[in-house]
């Protein structure tokens, strides 16, 4: 007798704020099975939020769970969002960073980075002529100003970014008969490394081509593959290297590290 593994649910964690469509549309478009709505602990009744929650409660397909936290306290928000994610560790968890407060969005991003959940943002539509842009500032006064903690992000080294930049520059989208992008091969990458005389080349004892290939794999390709920044494909006798979407995004974010 065999027992089928449980099918993971699509769970959306939604810190609530002064929004409606930016909460409702992702739930429906991405067909969430469950919504964990996190309200501000001292929130007053807001008609459009009540309508949003009532619609979810009336939807037989969607399971709604309500939680509370102080959406203006980083650690309370972080703990509440991370707990909601951990409580659904066997499911696909998405965190809506569009509502709550700016602090809630920061907390949600940190929680996703720590747990592997997927953060997302629903971009508002201000109309073709910007008619939906508020005519007045959203807030007239400031209660307090305080610093926020920072957390390290494992950014790629300048050397790895330099290789991403090289692969991007040397990728020819018109060469492959199948319509695929064709990036440089390992021989090209070795020549680039020796031309730029990177530290890992200058300080190595490599003297043979085989040694340089091993050096390229261990110091460049393996780290880039582990991060999901590149993919390789064997074409004939050569191994071609191309950027993934994550690699393209990493290059956009960290290109400034290359002098």
């Amino acid at each position: 007798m065999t027992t089928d593994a449980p099918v993971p649910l699509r769970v959306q964690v939604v810190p609530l704020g002064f929004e409606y469509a930016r909460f409702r549309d992702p739930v429906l478009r991405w067909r969430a099975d469950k919504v964990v709505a996190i309200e501000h602990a001292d929130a007053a009744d807001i008609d459009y939020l009540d309508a949003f929650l009532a619609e979810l409660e009336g939807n037989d397909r969607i399971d709604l769970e309500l939680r509370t936290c102080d959406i203006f306290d980083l650690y309370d928000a972080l703990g509440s969002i991370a707990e909601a994610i951990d409580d659904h560790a066997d499911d696909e968890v998405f965190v809506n960073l569009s509502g709550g407060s700016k602090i809630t969005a920061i907390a949600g991003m940190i929680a996703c980075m720590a747990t592997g959940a997927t953060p997302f943002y629903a971009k508002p539509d201000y109309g073709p002529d910007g008619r939906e842009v508020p005519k007045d500032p959203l807030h007239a006064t400031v209660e307090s100003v305080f610093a926020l903690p920072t957390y390290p992000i494992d950014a790629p080294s300048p050397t790895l970014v330099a290789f991403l930049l090289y692969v991007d520059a040397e990728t020819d989208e018109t060469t492959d008969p199948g319509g695929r992008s064709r990036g440089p091969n390992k021989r090209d990458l070795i020549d680039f490394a020796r031309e730029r005389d990177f530290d890992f080349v200058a300080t190595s004892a490599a003297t043979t081509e085989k040694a340089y290939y091993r050096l390229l794999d261990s110091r460049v390709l393996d780290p880039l593959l582990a991060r999901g920044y590149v993919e390789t494909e064997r074409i004939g006798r050569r191994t071609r290297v191309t950027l993934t979407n994550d690699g393209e995004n990493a290059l956009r974010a960290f290109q400034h590290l290359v002098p």
Side-chain angles (χ1 to χ4, degrees):
M1 178 179 179
T2 60
T3 303
D4 293 335
V7 177
L9 299 176
R10 292 183 294 269
V11 179
Q12 286 192 23
V13 179
V14 185
L16 299 179
F18 304 120
E19 300 286 350
Y20 174 72
R22 297 170 78 191
F23 299 150
R24 178 182 183 275
D25 286 10
V27 169
L28 301 181
R29 289 190 191 189
W30 289 6
R31 296 185 60 79
D33 299 304
K34 181 174 182 177
V35 173
V36 180
I38 302 178
E39 299 180 293
H40 182 45
D42 297 325
D45 289 337
I46 301 174
D47 290 344
Y48 51 83
L49 287 182
D50 291 341
F52 169 63
L53 296 176
E55 182 176 355
L56 295 185
E57 287 178 338
N59 190 317
D60 293 336
R61 190 185 60 79
I62 299 174
D63 181 20
L64 173 65
E65 178 183 347
L66 293 177
R67 303 190 183 194
T68 62
C69 77
D70 182 350
I71 67 173
F72 299 104
D73 183 284
L74 178 70
Y75 293 105
D76 194 23
L78 175 55
S80 297
I81 295 170
E83 182 179 27
I85 295 170
D86 288 340
D87 287 346
H88 299 86
D90 295 328
D91 298 315
E92 294 181 85
V93 183
F94 304 85
V95 180
N96 190 333
L97 303 183
S98 311
S101 67
K102 299 293 193 300
I103 291 176
T104 318
I106 295 169
M109 180 61 76
I110 295 172
C112 288
M113 293 168 64
T115 62
T118 302
F120 71 89
Y121 180 83
K123 181 182 177 181
D125 182 1
Y126 293 111
D129 55 0
R131 61 183 178 274
E132 297 296 329
V133 175
K135 293 182 174 57
D136 299 311
L138 295 179
H139 304 286
T141 60
V142 173
E143 178 183 308
S144 62
V145 179
F146 51 91
L148 293 171
T150 58
Y151 292 86
I153 294 178
D154 184 19
S157 68
T159 297
L160 292 182
V161 178
F163 275 90
L164 291 178
L165 188 61
Y166 176 78
V167 171
D168 182 59
E170 296 300 316
T171 296
D172 187 346
E173 297 184 359
T174 63
T175 302
D176 195 299
R180 298 166 299 182
S181 299
R182 175 173 288 186
N185 58 51
K186 284 190 174 184
R187 175 75 262 174
D188 297 327
L189 295 180
I190 291 173
D191 290 342
F192 172 67
R194 297 170 73 173
E195 176 186 330
R196 291 285 297 270
D197 198 28
F198 289 108
D199 285 345
F200 75 88
V201 173
T203 59
S204 78
T207 56
T208 66
E209 292 303 300
K210 188 173 183 180
Y212 276 113
Y213 275 96
R214 287 199 299 265
L215 192 63
L216 176 73
D217 285 339
S218 63
R219 300 300 296 272
V220 177
L221 284 184
D222 288 348
L224 291 177
L225 287 167
R227 292 171 178 264
Y229 289 167
V230 300
E231 57 187 8
T232 60
E233 181 181 11
R234 186 79 175 177
I235 301 177
R237 299 179 60 186
R238 298 188 181 275
T239 298
R240 297 282 181 173
V241 181
T242 54
L243 300 185
T244 63
N245 288 336
D246 285 346
E248 293 174 356
N249 289 333
L251 180 58
R252 292 172 58 195
F254 299 110
Q255 187 170 338
H256 65 279
L257 295 178
V258 180

